[in-house]
Amino acid sequence: MCNLYNLTTTRDAVVEFTKAMSDKAGWNEPSLNVYPNTLAPIVRVDGGGNREIVSATWGMPTPPAFVKGKADRGVTNIRNVGSPHWRRWLGPTSRCVVPFTSFAEPDPASKVEGGRVPNAWFAQDPDRPLMFFAGFWTPWKGVRKVRDGEQEYELFGFLTTTPNEIVKPIHEKAMPAILTTPEEVDLWLTGEWADVKHLQRPLPGNMLVLVDPPENPEDD
């Protein structure tokens, strides 16, 4: 399960790739690590049909049967789009794209005795060009953290699919559904479900490589 990704690019690059007309996110970090239940930029279509960059919290509403306790921590990765819980968000008004340059999967095989499970990192190539997860978003009112009580949120998550030959040795169950061209982004944001569902597929193995963990400004 992908529960960490990195975005090392510029706002202008995201705008150019997605044709976003406005930026409401105010995001300008040179390198952003994104974890569940944290804010991150997404691109969606607003009520007027224009594309906008906004900040949303990573983790869609959990199916009620799986909520434990008083807080809903959210679902970051979505696989079973045939479930009634997810079908409500399959239309274009609930779709978004999530910019990233590399993503992580836990790598238990590389764990050192007594240490924590390390992450394996993946990118399109060693230069880490901009790519996008095929995602969904929704407004939501509820309890994310018990100490914060009920609040209003805008949430997002993204599709996963069968892993390709690069990811499978690390994580054999799934990998994110990834969009790599402006044409795929256009289709995901505007097409009917019948026309976009094929994008829930593994990226070809020659379009993904293992990379070192991203450098963060605090590492310098």
Side-chain angles (χ1 to χ4, degrees), residues 106-127:
D107 184 11
S110 298
K111 182 179 180 295
V112 176
E113 186 175 353
R116 301 177 64 179
V117 175
N119 287 313
W121 284 86
F122 302 89
Q124 186 173 356
D125 63 46
D127 293 330

Side-chain angles (χ1 to χ4, degrees), residues 36-37 58-60 62 67 71-76 140 143-145:
N37 265 321
W58 188 16
M60 290 284 281
T62 305
V67 176
D72 179 356
R73 299 289 294 171
V75 177
T76 56
W140 183 75
V143 178
R144 214 59 171 176
K145 297 179 181 179

Side-chain angles (χ1 to χ4, degrees), residues 176-220:
I178 297 171
L179 311 176
T180 62
T181 68
E183 291 76 18
E184 289 177 341
V185 167
D186 289 345
L187 181 60
W188 180 256
L189 290 176
T190 61
E192 294 304 317
W193 180 247
D195 299 319
V196 305
K197 62 183 181 180
H198 70 279
L199 295 172
Q200 188 183 15
R201 80 286 183 255
L203 204 62
N206 63 356
M207 296 182 67
L208 207 65
V209 298
L210 282 161
V211 293
D212 292 332
E215 294 183 4
N216 294 311
E218 58 265 26
D219 295 334
D220 293 341

Side-chain angles (χ1 to χ4, degrees), residues 25-99:
W27 148 74
N28 61 1
E29 293 90 337
S31 180
L32 177 66
N33 280 336
V34 182
Y35 296 89
N37 265 321
T38 59
L39 287 168
I42 64 171
V43 180
R44 67 186 183 191
V45 179
D46 66 17
N50 296 313
R51 298 179 190 181
E52 61 181 4
I53 305 172
V54 300
S55 289
T57 300
W58 188 16
M60 290 284 281
T62 305
F66 296 98
V67 176
K68 298 179 181 180
K70 297 180 179 180
D72 179 356
R73 299 289 294 171
V75 177
T76 56
N77 296 185
I78 300 155
R79 180 78 175 266
N80 181 17
V81 293
S83 162
H85 179 75
W86 300 118
R87 284 204 298 263
R88 74 192 81 178
W89 293 304
L90 297 184
T93 57
S94 296
R95 285 191 228 127
C96 66
V97 294
V98 184

